[in-house]
DNA sequence: TTCAGCCATAAAAACTGTCTATCATTTTTA
DNA sequence: TAAAAATGATAGACAGTTTTTATGGCTGAA
């Protein structure tokens, strides 16, 4: 049996005439006759009672043809579902972001996303790099905004932007007298960091002098917001990524900041996805959309 | 697209492994890979994300495969409906009978029909020959028990039995003194007949002497039962077909009867159906069943 | 009776699906 | 780290199926 055979019998049932049915299927009449004859033989059932007056559909023929229509309709639905999925800017996309990016980046593109890709529905997930990578690998996630390049061979990434680090310190701190800041100006045990697992912790540590690295085990914040509040309350200074500076909180909260002048005081942000992920178009579109929404405080490659 | 292709994608979705899916479809792995690749190209959609770790079904793939399962299920249903319709002793059959046969013949085979062909459901229709023939031709009816051979080329018939005519007369009638009866013994204007349209009227007339034929225009019964009652009330004599004699009414109602000795005082009963009617098996089975239930008063060919 | 309409049949041609053999890549194992 | 195993993709030959054109036979109508 064959979907085409089902087309043929439905056409004959509709036209009650082999020749016209054949025309409607764009095949010759012998083709249609032959295929229907074969199908009848396979099923062991006569679908049509042929006579020169006209075609009569047998009782069993009626039954079978109505099921055939269901099958054809399903096949048709497959085609239209596939056709409407053609659009790379449609469908579901699950997007992961790390906690030091999500709250600052998402507002920069969500509304644009809605208007530019209304048929794309994005599910967000905020988690630390390791877990996002894992989710990418097992297919729970389609794409992720990460601050580390992919390590697995099966992953690849688009470079989104590079994000400078800023030094955040409380009002009245001696750094306030400086025009700009470098890590050299920071006291070793003055730097507050995130808890382990946050990649930004490692990135911040990597631009500290070696001596600093072992210190301050006791004070670790679980989020950037907490960290900032700690700084505001005079517990020390910290580094924040540029996008986190977008909030208007600095003056009111008694916080001051300098962009760091140190070379390498920045991190590269990637849009990571599986190499085999089929909807590269959607990923590309998302990357461009994110980049278009970025402020000038970060540098797009 | 093809039902086989749908089998393939469902198998891959089930096994998450091309090789094993190919095995389950009893084809080689390249065949399966190739067909799926082609289907994906046709649909313009990636159904599976292939990697060496395992197969991941894409979102659109999930959608399409679930529809594919519907189509496969419909195809399967076609096969099983056809298979269960293989049985010639199953299905619906519409059976017509003429009024001078129906009430006497149906009781002779209905119970046998139920037990011998329990999956066959017969719809009965009682009507005069012309209308039954018409219904046969336009497909309203599948078979008919008629007392005339088919006239249309597209119809054919099985000879069921030949049914002698009996002469029915009231008790006290002079015919009661005879051992047997012939039409020669009957007074011309004594014969009561059915209304026009009943073939039995014509059959009865045909064995009357020509002189009788123009008479008795005024008394015409619309049914055999009426005719018999008319005879019982002394209005005349009549002919009845043998099967109508089966009832136990003769003595009680003051009726007597002789089987006619005239040559040709009988009629041939046919089971008529369209030459092209596909379920000849059902018709044959019905014919045999009817014949098996007949009494000895009629002759099976 | 002839003619036109309709479905069935036959033989050749085109197409499609399948197989074997082989490759490239990835993962596992030694 | 290198060899082996596993997995899916590719290529070319082959077989089976579908399709087409040409033709036949039957039926109903003029």
């Amino acid at each position: 049996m064959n979907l085409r055979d089902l087309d043929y019998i439905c056409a004959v049932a509709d036209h009650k005439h082999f020749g016209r049915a054949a025309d409607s299927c764009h095949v010759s009449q012998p083709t249609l006759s032959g295929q229907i004859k074969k199908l009848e033989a396979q099923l062991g059932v006569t679908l049509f009672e042929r006579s020169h007056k006209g075609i009569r559909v047998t009782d069993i023929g009626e039954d079978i043809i109505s099921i055939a229509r269901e099958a054809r309709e399903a096949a048709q639905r497959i085609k239209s579902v596939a056709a409407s999925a053609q659009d790379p800017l449609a469908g579901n996309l699950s997007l992961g972001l790390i906690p030091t990016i999500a709250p600052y980046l998402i507002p920069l593109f969500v509304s644009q996303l809605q208007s530019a890709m209304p048929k794309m529905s994005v599910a967000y997930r905020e988690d630390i790099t390791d877990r996002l990578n894992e989710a990418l690998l097992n297919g729970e996630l389609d794409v992720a905004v990460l601050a580390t390049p992919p390590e697995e061979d099966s992953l690849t990434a688009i470079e989104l932007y590079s994000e400078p680090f800023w030094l955040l310190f409380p009002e009245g701190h001696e750094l306030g007298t400086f025009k700009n800041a470098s890590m050299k100006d920071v006291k070793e045990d003055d730097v507050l960091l995130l808890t382990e697992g946050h990649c930004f912790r490692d990135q911040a540590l990597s631009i500290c002098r070696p001596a600093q690295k072992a210190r301050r085990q006791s004070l670790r914040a679980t989020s950037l917001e907490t960290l900032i509040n700690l700084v505001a309350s005079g517990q020390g200074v910290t580094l924040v990524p540029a996008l986190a500076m977008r909030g208007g909180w600095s003056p009111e909260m008694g916080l001051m900041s300098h962009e760091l002048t140190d070379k390498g005081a920045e991190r590269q942000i990637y849009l990571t996805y599986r190499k085999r992920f089929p909807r590269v178009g959607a990923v590309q579109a998302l990357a461009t959309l994110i980049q278009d929404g970025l402020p000038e405080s970060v540098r797009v490659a």
Side-chain angles (χ1 to χ4, degrees), chain A residues 15-292:
Chain A
H15 292 89
K16 309 250 189 264
H17 187 290
F18 275 61
R20 282 192 286 279
D23 283 348
S24 83
C25 295
H26 309 294
V27 292
S28 67
Q29 170 266 315
T31 297
L32 186 118
S33 288
Q35 291 306 105
I36 288 182
K37 186 189 170 86
K38 204 176 66 175
L39 180 64
E40 286 181 324
Q42 278 173 4
L43 294 177
V45 149
T46 304
L47 267 14
F48 305 107
E49 195 176 318
R50 290 102 160 141
S51 80
H52 292 269
K53 286 218 160 152
I55 300 297
R56 217 181 74 82
V57 183
T58 63
D59 286 359
I60 178 68
E62 295 279 12
D63 291 348
I64 285 179
I65 284 160
S66 92
I67 307 177
R69 287 192 210 280
E70 289 178 42
R72 273 158 42 96
E73 184 272 337
Q76 196 48 54
R77 226 159 60 236
I78 287 180
K79 284 179 196 157
S80 54
V81 165
S84 60
Q86 295 277 24
D87 185 359
L89 305 186
N92 299 320
L93 199 75
S94 54
L95 170 64
L97 304 100
I98 55 175
T100 53
I101 294 185
Y104 315 109
L105 183 64
I106 293 178
L108 299 180
F109 69 84
V110 266
S111 70
Q112 263 304 100
L113 185 74
Q114 294 252 327
S115 54
M117 298 147 76
K119 283 182 289 184
M120 172 86 76
S121 110
V122 177
Y124 298 95
R125 169 170 168 182
E126 183 177 319
D127 215 327
I128 59 173
T129 304
D130 283 353
R131 282 202 281 267
L132 291 184
N133 266 318
E134 196 182 336
L136 276 176
L137 289 174
N138 67 26
E140 285 171 41
L141 225 50
D142 295 326
V143 252
V145 178
L146 301 174
T148 49
E151 305 218 324
E152 297 281 338
D153 280 352
S154 62
L155 298 180
T156 185
I158 297 168
E159 298 194 352
L160 283 178
Y161 56 92
S162 84
E163 183 176 32
F165 295 156
W166 287 61
L167 189 62
L168 200 66
F169 51 90
E171 211 164 20
H173 193 280
E174 60 168 350
L175 285 166
T177 61
F178 294 27
K179 274 245 167 72
N180 50 34
S182 155
M183 286 309 287
K184 296 194 299 285
D185 309 321
V186 177
K187 280 214 279 298
E188 296 188 350
D189 53 0
D190 216 14
V191 180
L192 304 174
L193 294 171
L194 288 172
T195 55
E196 294 200 17
H198 287 275
C199 60
F200 183 61
R201 172 191 165 84
D202 307 323
Q203 290 150 6
L205 269 179
S206 72
I207 65 162
C208 291
R209 278 162 295 172
Q212 287 172 329
K213 295 190 182 174
R215 306 296 187 86
R216 283 284 190 175
Q217 301 288 342
S218 53
L219 261 180
R220 292 176 181 175
T222 53
S223 76
L224 265 188
E225 293 303 312
T226 307
L227 205 57
I228 289 163
N229 288 331
L230 287 174
V231 172
S233 67
Q235 302 291 315
V237 306
T238 196
L239 297 173
V240 289
L243 283 187
M245 297 295 300
R246 292 283 294 171
W249 37 256
S250 302
E252 295 76 11
M253 292 176 67
L255 286 167
M256 298 185 69
S257 58
H258 283 312
E259 182 167 0
L260 280 173
T261 56
D262 303 79
K263 195 177 170 203
E266 61 177 13
R267 60 179 184 173
Q268 179 63 43
I269 308 300
Y270 302 87
L271 189 62
T272 305
Y273 57 98
R274 289 184 299 283
K275 270 181 192 159
R276 318 269 190 174
F277 185 63
R279 290 155 63 207
V280 192
V283 179
Q284 269 294 354
L286 180 66
T288 307
L289 194 112
I290 291 176
Q291 289 175 327
D292 289 349

